Amino acid sequence: MPTDDEYEQTRRRFDELEVEQQAQFLIEASASALARGIEQAGKALADGLQDVVRRPHRSSCTSQTSGPGAAEPETAQRQAPKGGRTSDDA
């Protein structure tokens, strides 16, 4: 972090520039700050994705049951026969 003296010296030098040079400086400084921010965000995203990939995979179906899960409705193929008859009995 710059000291107060460094900041004041830089600020005075900026004020001594022509308006066009000040505008160019501000555009370049903004682009540089934006690029650093994007780079940091990309690194944070990459680190987060690596953490997700490295975690052990947890299956949502821990038991091997033949019926539907708690939130899964029975489909026509899984429905229990009514009255003890199956479609093969007809």
Side-chain angles (χ1 to χ4, degrees):
M1 191 82 171
T3 64
D4 289 338
D5 290 338
E6 290 174 331
Y7 176 85
E8 289 301 323
Q9 185 179 31
T10 302
R11 184 74 180 104
R12 274 195 305 277
R13 286 183 181 161
F14 177 80
D15 286 339
E16 293 170 359
L17 296 173
E18 298 291 324
V19 172
E20 293 84 11
Q21 291 174 320
Q22 287 178 342
Q24 181 179 353
F25 179 86
L26 291 174
I27 291 169
E28 290 173 0
S30 298
S32 176
L34 182 61
R36 280 194 310 267
I38 290 171
E39 184 177 353
Q40 289 175 350
K43 184 179 180 333
L45 179 61
D47 291 345
L49 288 174
Q50 283 181 348
D51 289 345
V52 169
V53 169
R54 288 182 184 150
R55 281 190 203 145
H57 179 69
R58 274 189 358 195
S59 176
S60 62
C61 183
T62 56
S63 63
Q64 299 283 333
T65 60
S66 61
E72 183 182 1
E74 280 191 317
T75 62
Q77 291 83 12
R78 291 187 181 165
Q79 288 178 347
K82 306 286 189 230
R85 295 186 61 184
T86 63
S87 59
D88 294 336
D89 294 339

